[in-house]
Amino acid sequence: MRVDLLDPPAYSLPYDHALAAALAALGAEVRLLTSRFAYGEAPVPQGYRREEVFYRHALGPAGSRLRALSKRGEHPLDTLRYRRAAPAQTDICHYQWLMLPRLDLRLAPRRPVVLTLHDPLPRLGRSRLAAAAFDRVAAVVVLSQAAREQVVAEHGLEPERVHVIHHGVLGPREGFPPLGGGNPSLGDARLPPELEDNGEPVVLSYGLIRPYKGTSTLLEAWRGISGAQLWVVGRAMMDSSALFAAAPAGARLIPRFVSAAEQAALFERADLVVLPYERSERFGFSGVLATALGYGKAIVISDLPSMRDVGELGAARLVAPSDAAALHAALVELLGDCDARAALAAAAASAAAGPYSWEAAGRATLALYERILAP
């Protein structure tokens, strides 16, 4: 079976890489069609081909408005080029992201199309993408049961067309890359030089700092905690100067992208990984959560529908979103109870080897393709 995975903006390269490798290991012939990854070294393909066929002439530095506009201008031509070439080269076209949703779906190749919705489609005028725009889509994949319910309700899709396939875990133990790409080995792991590790237990908050990530709630929850370190690591995508000017004792901020080796060291060192996300319209699974599972770490997450499945497996402690007092209590309890942390870590490792493994995701995805292609 010939499969094209499409992620034109390279938004989810670690996920793309892991899924492509899992499908290839099961015998599929896979191409990952994407663009140059601008935030680090791209992972080395494992059994599949990666072709950077989108935005080859984009202008401006990564993250700039010029580059974003340039890519939008180039996108229709690149999409048309793929539409012309795809029928002779593939059996299934599996889109991971749509840059221009209406255009992308209208110009989808005349091959069975699968669409993964990592997050809700953007609002278009007063309504979301009309159900008619999905006429060319044979199946929609989402990463949680809550996302399935939301997609069915918002787009009027038949429930049988929307399938839950869990996000597999990330991390070098599974042979898959970190969030920023790259190809580290555990022996290369090193902490960011800005950090001074005093040997006390480490609580790690990792990933891009955005309003919905709940960093302010975490910092408030940290007040009064002693005998432990809080490391908040990730590029700030908002004005965080006031947030960290009054950071409580024991909290350290690394406001930048870190290397693959640094990320490996951070997760290896962490005693507890915390994801205090706020409620939002986003329903995608968290790459940070997938990484924490991959490292078999004790995890505290907000009780949000998109991540509740993990908590219900016992693989993470659920706390109410935006509730600093509840988060404080959970952190104090777990920092003081090694056995409780060990139980959470063991459940995380079990989830990583079972329902959140890439073998499970690959088999479920391949079975979906086979159903679509069956005469």
Side-chain angles (χ1 to χ4, degrees):
M1 182 187 301
R2 301 171 302 170
V3 178
D4 282 355
L5 297 181
L6 292 101
D7 179 2
Y11 279 164
S12 56
L13 191 58
Y15 175 96
D16 305 333
H17 163 82
L19 178 59
L23 291 170
L26 293 169
E29 181 182 333
V30 183
R31 296 192 305 169
L32 172 57
L33 304 177
T34 185
S35 56
R36 181 179 64 84
F37 187 58
Y39 298 105
E41 181 186 357
V44 175
Q46 299 176 9
Y48 68 92
R49 288 185 292 152
R50 184 179 66 244
E51 300 179 11
E52 297 176 353
V53 298
F54 289 90
Y55 319 138
R56 291 169 293 179
H57 308 293
L59 304 173
S64 69
R65 179 169 177 77
L66 173 60
R67 188 166 186 84
L69 291 173
S70 178
K71 286 162 65 175
R72 273 184 175 269
E74 194 173 346
H75 184 78
L77 295 177
D78 290 341
T79 301
L80 282 169
R81 187 182 303 111
Y82 173 69
R83 175 190 168 95
R84 288 195 298 267
Q89 300 179 36
T90 190
D91 299 307
I92 289 278
C93 303
H94 189 162
Y95 285 81
Q96 297 299 322
W97 293 94
L98 303 176
M99 281 286 284
L100 302 174
R102 287 189 187 278
L103 176 71
D104 289 339
L105 291 176
R106 183 170 296 174
L107 295 182
R110 298 191 178 282
R111 278 290 183 270
V113 170
V114 176
L115 170 62
T116 293
L117 291 180
H118 294 267
D119 266 325
L121 290 168
R123 293 188 181 278
L124 301 173
R126 293 187 176 181
S127 63
R128 291 188 181 272
L129 201 66
F134 288 92
D135 286 348
R136 300 287 302 280
V137 177
V140 174
V141 172
V142 292
L143 307 179
S144 70
Q145 183 59 36
R148 180 176 184 268
E149 294 169 1
Q150 184 173 333
V151 167
V152 168
E154 288 187 350
H155 297 300
L157 297 177
E158 303 89 340
E160 59 270 19
R161 291 177 64 193
V162 186
H163 306 264
V164 178
I165 299 177
H166 289 309
H167 190 310
V169 298
L170 301 174
R173 284 197 183 92
E174 291 68 43
F176 296 129
L179 294 174
N183 305 283
S185 68
L186 290 178
D188 295 330
R190 60 183 183 277
L191 289 172
E194 300 97 318
L195 287 174
E196 295 180 4
D197 185 359
N198 64 14
E200 293 177 336
V202 169
V203 175
L204 175 64
S205 173
Y206 187 87
L208 294 175
I209 299 172
R210 300 180 185 273
Y212 75 90
K213 293 294 187 74
T215 307
S216 60
T217 299
L218 174 59
L219 292 175
E220 180 62 29
W222 191 255
R223 296 189 185 281
I225 294 179
S226 60
Q229 307 171 83
L230 173 62
W231 295 349
V232 180
V233 180
R235 181 183 176 189
M237 306 298 287
M238 53 183 276
D239 184 0
S240 60
S241 55
L243 194 64
F244 288 98
R252 294 294 306 279
L253 167 68
I254 309 297
R256 63 173 175 86
F257 284 111
V258 297
S259 70
E262 289 171 327
Q263 180 187 303
L266 287 164
F267 278 91
E268 281 292 319
R269 178 63 181 87
D271 297 279
L272 193 59
V273 177
V274 59
L275 292 82
Y277 295 176
E278 312 283 354
R279 297 189 187 278
S280 75
E281 289 189 345
R282 302 173 70 97
F283 58 56
F285 196 76
S286 164
V288 178
L289 178 53
T291 303
L293 289 170
Y295 278 89
K297 291 295 173 177
I299 306 166
V300 175
I301 58 176
S302 293
D303 186 7
L304 298 175
S306 61
M307 297 188 286
R308 190 171 297 150
D309 295 355
V310 176
E312 291 175 347
L313 286 174
R317 175 71 61 86
L318 296 172
V319 296
S322 307
D323 189 335
L327 181 56
H328 176 90
L331 294 175
V332 169
E333 176 193 344
L334 291 170
L335 285 170
D337 190 338
C338 294
D339 291 341
R341 293 203 307 271
L344 283 173
S350 178
Y356 287 87
S357 69
W358 279 108
E359 180 181 3
R363 290 190 182 281
T365 303
L366 195 61
L368 176 60
Y369 296 162
E370 289 170 347
R371 289 198 298 273
I372 292 170
L373 293 174

